[in-house]
Amino acid sequence: MARRLIRPAAACQGCSLVKAGFLGVVSPLHYQRLPYSSSKRGSPGNKYSGCLANLTKEGSHWTGTRSNPLLSLHSSKFVSKRTACLIATGPSPAATEEPEMDLPKEIFLKDYKKPDYLFDTVDLEFQLGDEKTMVTSKIAVSPGNEAGNSSPLTLHGCDLKLLSIKINGTELKSDKYTVDPRHLTILTPPAGVFNMEIVTEIYPQLNTSLEGLYRSTGNFCTQCEAEGFRKITYFQDRPDVMAKYTCRIEGDKTLYPVLLSNGNLIEQGDLEGGKHYALWEDPFKKPCYLFALVAGQLECREDSFVTCSGRKVTLRIWTPAQDLPKTSHAMYSLKEAMKWDEEVFGLEYDLDLFNIVVVPDFNMGAMENKSLNVFQSRLVLASPEAATDGDYAAILGVIGHEYFHNWTGNRVTCRDWFQLTLKEGLTVFRDQEFSSDLGCRTVKRIADVSKLRSYQFPQDAGPMAHPIRPLSYIKMDNFYTGTGLRKGAEVVRMYKTMFGASGFRKGMDLYFQRHDGQAVTCEDFYAAMCDANNAHLPNFLQWYSQAGTPTVKVTSSYDEGSQAFSLKLSQEVPPTPGQPMKEPMFIPVAVGLVDSTGKDMPLTSIYSDGMVQTLSNDGHPIFTTVLQFKKKEEEFIFKNVPERPVPSLLRGYSAPIRLDSDLTESDLYFLLANDSDEFNRWEAGQILARKLMFSLVADFQQQKTLALNTKFVDGLRAILQSTSLDKEFIAKAITLPGQGEIMDMMSIADPDAVHAVRTFIKKELAFQLKDDLLAAVTSNRSSEAYAFDHDSVARRALKNTCLAYLASLNEPDVTELALNEYKSATNMTEQFAALAALSQNPGQVREDALLDFYNKWQQDYLVVSKWFALQATSDIPGNVVNVQKLLAHPAFDMRNPNKVYSLIGGFCGSPVSFHAKDGSGYKFLGEVVLQLDKINPQVASRMVSAFSRWRRYDETRQALAKAQLEMIISANGLSENVYEIALKSLAA
C-alpha cells in the first residue's frame, strides 16, 4: 500500500475540507455501529454479514437500538460495549437475536498454516448502482495439498448481503453452509477441483471506512490492502492465496464513463438502458489485496514509455478534468521511476498499460494495485503556484514507491501480513535510493534519518513497540507503521552496507529468480542476499524478531608506541512489551579516522576477535570500513595509525541505533568543520545542539538564567557563511533538533521546558546571526520561473530557513521583510514559508496573513489543507480553542482522511498544545477519536496513537491522558482498530 503513511505527529501534511460541529453529526450517510447478528442459517436472501439490530428508518438513514452488553477486557478493570464490525445503513433483513460478542481475536505469527484451498482463477462481475452494487464472483477452487482436502472452506466477509451461493452450478442448500458476521463457511466442499459462484450486495455510497468498494466525490474506488477485499465479496482474504483475475464492470455510461480495473482491457461495449461495460484481464497471479476497480467521470493525461526490451507502455493518469494540468510532474516522476528501475535493478515493466487514478478520499497515501495505482490527490497534483518543493519531492518519491512495488510486492508478495516489511521496507528503501539519485543524497539521508528518529524511535520505546515483523496483531491496519516501513528500510540498507551495491544487486537478482510469482517470507529475502554473496550474517535475523532501538556505546583509546587505535563497542537492546530480555544484534558500524589536519586517514588493518583483517581495494586506499559488531561487547583495534585520530562513527548512519560515544565537545566541533562524511558532519552539529538543549532545559527547570554557548553560535555561523557546502545541507545543518526528539530522550518529558528552551535558542541565534541570515535571504532570492531541480530547491530551502529564524525575533523590520516575501512570492514554496514565518507570533499581522491566504486559495482544497495544518501545529497560546473552532470551518470534513491528518493529526504534533497542562488537548483528542471512530476506524486509530506514550510525562499529565484512554476504551461500539491501540497504551 501507499507508503507515505501519515502519523498524528506528521505536521503540515496537506488535506482538503464540509461543515461539521465539534461533536455533532458529520453526515447521515455513515456506518452505524450495531451489535452482532447471530450466525443462524436461513435463506440466502436473508444472509447479511454485518451487525444487525432493531432498525428503524429516520429520514435518509437507518438507526438501531442496542442492548449494550458489557464485555470485560483482558484482566482489566474496564468494561466495554464495543462491537466488532460495521453495517451498511440501507435496506436490511429483519433483526435477529443479539448474542454476547467475543473479544477481538489476536492473531499470531506462530499459528500460520498454509491455506487448505487454493484459488486458481477469479472472475468478478460488478453491477454498479447509486443505491446498491451487485457483485458476482466465480472462483475455480483446488485443494491446497496433493492429498486433497476434506476440511470446511472458510471465507472472510464483512458488511455483505449474501444473495446466493452455487457449487459446480448448483445452488447450495442452507444446511450446507454457515454465515456469521465475519465468515461464510462451506461445511463439506467437494473433493478435488470445483467451481464456486457467490453473489453479494454491497452499499459503497455508505462506506465511510474507505475499505473495500466505496464512493469518493461521486466516483467508485476500491482499497483492499490489507483486509478490504472481504468487504466486496466472500473470499480467502489472505496474501498467500494468489489467482489470475478477470473483472467485468457494468455501470451508467453518463455517470461512469470510465471503467478501470487491473491488467489489460480486452472488451468493452454499450448495454441497454444507457449502460456500458468493460472487461479487464490481469495475466499475472496476484493476491486479492491488489485487486482494484475505479469507475467515474475522469479524464487522463496520456504518455508512453519504451522499456529496455522495446515494449511500448501506455501511461495514463486519471483525474477530474480541472486537475489535469497539475499532473505533469507526476507523469515525469513515473517515467523517471521506470527508467531508474531498469538501470539500477534491471527490472522492466511487464504489461502494455499503466494507470494511475487520483482520488480525494483515501486512507493511505497511495496503493500499488497491479497496473492500476490509486493515489491520494496531494501525492499526484502539483503546480508551482499551489504546491511546495516538499510536495514535489513527495510526489516523486511516492510515484516511484508505488511503481517499484510492481516487482517488490506484486510479482513477489508476502506469505502473510506479518511479512509486511518484506515488501514495504524493501520498497521504501528503493524509493529512498531513487530520490537520492535524482536529488542530493546527503540531504535525503538526513531527511530520512530525521523521520526515523521523530516517528519510529518513539514507537520503538512505547506500548506499540514491535519488531519489523510483528509477532501478533488484532488489526493489521495498525501495523503500517514507521517500524515495518522506515526501520524495515534501514534493515534492507544494512544488506547494501555489508555487501556493497554490486553484492546487493546480486542478492536482488537471486531473490527474483527464486521467487517470482510467489508469496514468501523475510527469511527468503535474507537467504537470497546471503547465498548470492557467499556470506553468513550471524544473528542478523534478530532485526526481524526483536523490537526496540539498540544503544551502542563507544569508547576509544590510542597507544602511541604501537600506533594502535582502539574502539570498544558495547550494545544494549532495551526491554519492550512482551520482550523483557534481548539477544545481541548484528550491527554494521561504518567508521573513518580523521587526522589533525581534517583529512581521512588510510586504513590498513584491523584486529578483532583474535584475527587481523587486512584492508585493501585493488591497491587504492580505504578511508571508511564497516565493523561487524555481533556480540554484547567487542573491541576493534586499528593498526598503523600514526597519530591519535578523531573517529567518525556510524558514517552515513549505517545502522538504526542510538549512538553514545566518548567524543568530546572539541571532537564534535572538529567533525562539524572537517568530516568528509557530510551526514556525520550534520550529525556532529545535531549532537552539539542536543547537548546544549539538555543543559538549558536543566537550567530552565531550576529557574536559572539561560545563556547560549558562543562556540555553538560560531560553529553555525561558519556553516552559514560557507560557500563550498550545498545550500540545502546548510539549511539542514542550522536547523535545531525538534521538540519531540528532545522529549523522547528525557526520562520525564517536559514539553513546556523544551519549548521554552528551543524558542530561546532560536531567537538568540537569530539575534546574533541576524546579519548573516539577512544576507542569506537577500542573496537567495530569484526572479526566474519556478524549477524543481536541486539547485533551485536548495536555494529556496536556505532562504526560507533563514527567514523563519529572523521572524522569530518579532521585530518590525523583519516582520516587514516576511510580509514582503509573502506578497512578492511567485510560488507556493516561498509564499507558504513566509506565511509560516509570520504565523509564529500571535497578533493581528498573523491573523491578517492567515485570512488573506485563505481568501486567495479557498477554492483549492489541497492548499487549504496546508492552511489547516499550519494553524493546527502552532504553539501559540490557547491553540486548542482555535483548532476546536476549525473543526466547524466550512472547508473541513471529518470524512476525508487527508483533512483529518492535516488538522487533528497536525494538532497532535504540537507538543505545547496537545500536552497542555490543563489537559484540554487530551480532552479534545479523546472526543474527536470517538466521533471519528464511527466514521473511519483506520484513521481514528492513527489519531489515538498520540496517547500511546502518556506514561513518559509528569503525574498530572499522566492522569489526564489516562482518563481519556479509559473513556475511549469503555465507549460503546469501539472499533478493533482503536481498541487495540488504546488497550495496549493503557497496559503499558
Side-chain angles (χ1 to χ4, degrees):
M1 196 182 305
R3 290 310 58 113
R4 303 288 168 171
L5 190 151
I6 309 166
R7 304 305 299 175
C12 292
Q13 301 285 347
C15 61
S16 68
L17 307 140
V18 152
K19 192 164 187 175
F22 175 38
L23 289 176
V25 176
V26 175
S27 165
L29 297 179
H30 63 273
Y31 278 74
Q32 309 295 318
R33 294 213 186 264
L34 304 174
Y36 275 129
S37 64
S38 61
S39 54
K40 293 183 177 180
R41 299 171 193 151
S43 64
N46 286 331
K47 294 295 181 188
Y48 196 93
S49 175
C51 309
L52 306 184
N54 299 314
L55 297 178
T56 58
K57 195 169 187 181
E58 297 178 0
S60 62
H61 66 288
W62 293 86
T63 60
T65 57
R66 307 172 174 86
S67 63
N68 298 337
L70 298 181
L71 295 177
S72 61
L73 299 176
H74 306 290
S75 63
S76 170
K77 67 178 182 179
F78 306 112
V79 294
S80 171
K81 310 183 193 76
R82 63 172 304 283
T83 55
C85 67
L86 299 170
I87 179 172
T89 61
S92 169
T96 55
E97 181 182 352
E98 179 187 310
E100 188 168 310
M101 301 172 305
D102 294 328
L103 285 169
K105 181 182 179 182
E106 191 164 11
I107 300 169
F108 293 89
L109 171 62
K110 63 182 176 61
D111 295 334
Y112 171 83
K113 58 174 290 191
K114 294 181 179 180
D116 292 327
Y117 295 89
L118 301 177
F119 292 171
D120 301 315
T121 61
V122 178
D123 299 318
L124 298 170
E125 296 181 12
F126 289 81
Q127 298 177 36
L128 305 176
D130 288 341
E131 299 299 325
K132 62 185 178 182
T133 291
M134 306 286 290
V135 182
T136 301
S137 65
K138 299 176 182 179
I139 305 172
V141 185
S142 61
N145 56 72
E146 294 181 359
N149 212 315
S150 59
S151 303
L153 171 56
T154 299
L155 307 174
H156 302 100
C158 186
D159 306 333
L160 305 174
K161 183 176 180 180
L162 177 62
L163 299 183
S164 69
I165 177 170
K166 296 178 181 179
I167 299 293
N168 289 331
T170 302
E171 188 145 341
L172 208 59
K173 294 182 179 180
S174 60
D175 63 346
K176 300 299 183 182
Y177 66 93
T178 63
V179 179
D180 65 36
R182 299 172 184 273
H183 305 96
L184 165 62
T185 303
I186 300 170
L187 300 176
T188 55
V193 176
F194 63 93
N195 295 317
M196 177 172 61
E197 179 180 320
I198 299 174
V199 182
T200 56
E201 183 175 287
I202 57 177
Y203 307 91
Q205 76 279 9
L206 305 176
N207 183 358
T208 62
S209 73
L210 310 186
E211 297 177 276
L213 180 66
Y214 64 93
R215 292 276 290 276
S216 172
T217 59
N219 297 329
F220 285 93
C221 181
T222 56
Q223 172 53 38
C224 295
E225 187 179 353
E227 298 174 339
F229 195 78
R230 65 190 63 187
K231 290 191 170 188
I232 295 174
T233 187
Y234 288 102
F235 204 82
Q236 289 188 113
D237 192 355
R238 47 189 289 174
D240 56 353
V241 175
M242 303 176 71
K244 293 184 178 180
Y245 284 68
T246 66
C247 179
R248 189 179 195 274
I249 312 166
E250 294 182 12
D252 185 284
K253 191 170 184 177
T254 301
L255 295 176
Y256 315 113
V258 176
L259 304 174
L260 303 173
S261 190
N262 310 91
N264 299 314
L265 178 64
I266 60 174
E267 188 179 314
Q268 61 182 331
D270 292 334
L271 301 169
E272 294 180 355
K275 295 185 176 182
H276 69 142
Y277 76 95
L279 178 61
W280 293 82
E281 180 182 49
D282 187 349
F284 292 94
K285 289 169 57 179
K286 65 173 179 280
C288 64
Y289 81 84
L290 290 172
F291 170 77
L293 178 155
V294 173
Q297 298 184 13
L298 302 164
E299 294 188 14
C300 75
R301 175 185 293 271
E302 183 170 311
D303 206 328
S304 63
F305 180 84
V306 178
T307 69
C308 54
S309 68
R311 177 199 294 268
K312 184 177 181 180
V313 182
T314 299
L315 311 176
R316 294 181 181 138
I317 299 178
W318 297 88
T319 189
Q322 68 271 17
D323 290 328
L324 269 183
K326 297 182 180 181
T327 59
S328 60
H329 177 65
M331 184 63 79
Y332 157 80
S333 300
L334 175 59
K335 295 175 74 171
E336 287 295 317
M338 298 176 80
K339 178 184 176 184
W340 184 88
D341 217 15
E342 290 183 350
E343 293 175 348
V344 176
F345 289 107
L347 299 176
E348 181 179 350
Y349 188 62
D350 49 15
L351 289 170
D352 297 328
L353 176 65
F354 190 91
N355 284 311
I356 289 174
V357 178
V358 178
V359 296
D361 303 309
F362 205 69
N363 282 340
M364 296 290 188
M367 177 63 210
E368 69 267 18
N369 315 298
K370 181 73 178 185
S371 78
L372 180 55
N373 287 186
V374 179
F375 274 71
Q376 187 186 103
S377 303
R378 72 178 184 86
L379 291 170
V380 172
L381 306 180
S383 67
E385 301 78 21
T388 65
D389 291 340
D391 296 326
Y392 274 81
I395 290 168
L396 179 73
V398 181
I399 291 281
H401 179 102
E402 303 310 327
Y403 173 76
F404 300 147
H405 265 311
N406 187 59
W407 281 92
T408 51
N410 297 4
R411 290 284 289 262
V412 183
T413 194
C414 305
R415 185 196 72 178
D416 53 72
W417 286 122
F418 295 101
Q419 318 294 329
L420 179 67
T421 194
L422 177 68
K423 74 181 186 75
E424 291 304 336
L426 176 55
T427 308
V428 168
F429 167 76
R430 276 157 45 77
D431 84 55
Q432 289 174 349
E433 289 293 285
F434 168 61
S435 294
S436 295
D437 284 346
L438 269 67
C440 175
R441 179 164 289 273
T442 298
V443 169
K444 175 60 176 167
R445 188 66 183 135
I446 289 169
D448 290 334
V449 173
S450 296
K451 289 175 183 175
L452 182 80
R453 289 170 173 169
S454 296
Y455 304 127
Q456 196 280 322
F457 276 20
Q459 183 182 67
D460 237 356
M464 288 295 291
H466 60 87
I468 64 170
R469 178 171 59 185
L471 303 176
S472 68
Y473 61 83
I474 293 176
K475 284 296 290 183
M476 187 57 212
D477 301 325
N478 289 335
F479 288 84
Y480 284 80
T481 64
T483 297
L485 279 62
R486 294 195 177 280
K487 186 176 180 179
E490 294 299 318
V491 172
V492 173
R493 186 177 296 275
M494 287 191 284
Y495 288 110
K496 185 181 179 185
T497 298
M498 296 305 306
F499 299 136
S502 61
F504 186 81
R505 169 66 188 271
K506 287 195 297 183
M508 290 284 284
D509 290 346
L510 183 59
Y511 178 62
F512 295 123
Q513 178 186 326
R514 287 178 173 177
H515 302 298
D516 187 15
Q518 297 178 12
V520 299
T521 67
C522 297
E523 283 82 0
D524 293 317
F525 184 78
Y526 168 83
M529 282 290 159
C530 291
D531 292 350
N533 290 279
N534 296 315
H536 174 61
L537 303 180
N539 58 322
F540 190 85
L541 286 173
Q542 297 283 10
W543 284 105
Y544 293 93
S545 59
Q546 288 192 162
T549 304
T551 295
V552 173
K553 293 186 177 181
V554 182
T555 57
S556 61
S557 62
Y558 178 68
D559 187 310
E560 187 175 359
S562 61
Q563 293 193 335
F565 181 71
S566 166
L567 292 175
K568 291 183 179 179
L569 279 62
S570 64
Q571 61 169 290
E572 182 176 349
V573 186
T576 52
Q579 294 186 330
M581 304 296 292
K582 303 294 177 68
E583 295 296 320
M585 309 284 273
F586 184 106
I587 301 174
V589 181
V591 175
L593 304 181
V594 185
D595 68 19
S596 56
T597 68
K599 304 295 184 183
D600 281 345
M601 293 181 170
L603 307 176
T604 58
S605 63
I606 301 175
Y607 175 83
S608 176
D609 201 20
M611 299 179 62
V612 175
Q613 177 188 3
T614 300
L615 303 178
S616 63
N617 182 26
D618 295 329
H620 300 289
I622 291 177
F623 298 107
T624 299
T625 190
V626 178
L627 309 179
Q628 297 187 17
F629 180 30
K630 307 179 290 288
K631 302 177 182 178
K632 176 76 173 176
E633 296 180 349
E634 287 190 76
E635 183 178 16
F636 299 87
I637 301 174
F638 293 81
K639 300 290 188 176
N640 305 314
V641 181
E643 62 173 292
R644 183 183 181 96
V646 176
S648 174
L649 305 168
L650 208 68
R651 282 187 156 176
Y653 198 66
S654 58
I657 64 170
R658 296 185 189 271
L659 183 66
D660 181 6
S661 75
D662 62 354
L663 289 171
T664 65
E665 187 174 284
S666 296
D667 291 337
L668 291 168
Y669 279 113
F670 179 80
L671 293 174
L672 176 63
N674 298 288
D675 202 331
S676 64
D677 184 278
E678 286 194 339
F679 178 88
N680 268 14
R681 196 169 180 179
W682 170 81
E683 180 77 312
Q686 292 294 293
I687 295 171
L688 288 166
R690 288 196 292 267
K691 289 176 178 289
L692 173 65
M693 293 176 75
F694 285 130
S695 174
L696 291 179
V697 163
D699 290 344
F700 179 85
Q701 291 172 331
Q702 297 171 32
Q703 300 183 346
K704 294 181 180 179
T705 301
L706 302 184
L708 199 56
N709 185 332
T710 56
K711 195 172 182 180
F712 181 77
V713 178
D714 292 339
L716 292 197
R717 179 181 284 111
I719 293 287
L720 187 56
Q721 293 177 344
S722 173
T723 57
S724 61
L725 290 172
D726 178 272
K727 290 184 177 181
E728 194 173 8
F729 174 82
I730 295 173
K732 295 286 188 186
I734 65 173
T735 299
L736 296 171
Q739 297 177 61
E741 182 180 347
I742 298 301
M743 290 195 300
D744 185 52
M745 299 174 72
M746 300 173 69
S747 56
I748 299 177
D750 187 340
D752 298 325
V754 173
H755 174 65
V757 164
R758 194 174 190 276
T759 301
F760 165 77
I761 296 174
K762 187 175 181 180
K763 288 185 176 181
E764 191 65 20
L765 285 172
F767 176 75
Q768 296 194 38
L769 300 175
K770 185 175 181 180
D771 291 343
D772 295 301
L773 294 168
L774 285 169
V777 170
T778 302
S779 64
N780 286 289
R781 290 193 183 108
S782 175
S783 58
E784 296 180 4
Y786 177 89
F788 182 69
D789 56 58
H790 179 66
D791 288 344
S792 300
V793 169
R795 174 185 58 76
R796 288 188 290 267
L798 180 55
K799 171 178 174 281
N800 294 338
T801 301
C802 293
L803 184 64
Y805 266 108
L806 289 166
S808 69
L809 294 172
N810 200 19
E811 296 175 348
D813 60 330
V814 292
T815 300
E816 187 64 26
L817 171 67
L819 274 171
N820 288 336
E821 293 296 327
Y822 170 76
K823 293 174 182 177
S824 63
T826 59
N827 59 76
M828 181 55 68
T829 303
E830 293 179 306
Q831 184 178 59
F832 193 73
L835 178 66
L838 290 167
S839 69
Q840 295 178 79
N841 305 303
Q844 196 60 46
V845 172
R846 176 184 190 271
E847 300 306 315
D848 290 346
L850 287 169
L851 180 60
D852 178 79
F853 186 84
Y854 177 76
N855 288 338
K856 181 177 181 179
W857 292 105
Q858 58 184 305
Q859 301 304 319
D860 190 318
Y861 65 95
L862 291 178
V863 178
V864 172
S865 297
K866 302 178 191 300
W867 182 76
F868 274 108
L870 180 61
Q871 295 173 82
T873 57
S874 174
D875 292 329
I876 66 169
N879 201 41
V880 177
V881 175
N882 295 336
V883 175
Q884 286 175 332
K885 291 178 180 178
L886 288 171
L887 281 182
H889 193 282
F892 183 73
D893 184 355
M894 190 74 82
R895 295 166 299 179
N896 180 280
N898 206 30
K899 300 169 187 179
V900 173
Y901 299 145
S902 191
L903 183 59
I904 301 169
F907 171 77
C908 296
S910 168
V912 174
S913 298
F914 177 59
H915 296 292
K917 195 79 171 180
D918 63 359
S920 57
Y922 300 151
K923 186 174 186 294
F924 166 76
L925 182 61
E927 292 173 337
V928 168
V929 163
L930 291 182
Q931 181 187 7
L932 187 57
D933 193 44
K934 291 177 170 58
I935 302 167
N936 190 322
Q938 275 196 43
V939 177
S941 70
R942 290 173 205 155
M943 298 301 104
V944 79
S945 66
F947 282 120
S948 63
R949 303 197 71 200
W950 61 279
R951 291 188 185 274
R952 298 205 65 257
Y953 296 87
D954 57 83
E955 292 182 359
T956 300
R957 287 185 171 93
Q958 284 188 37
L960 293 166
K962 183 181 180 183
Q964 292 303 311
L965 282 169
E966 291 174 348
M967 182 269 293
I968 290 169
I969 207 165
S970 60
N972 183 45
L974 196 66
S975 70
E976 288 182 338
N977 303 70
V978 172
Y979 172 86
E980 178 174 25
I981 291 179
L983 183 73
K984 290 181 177 180
S985 297
L986 277 170

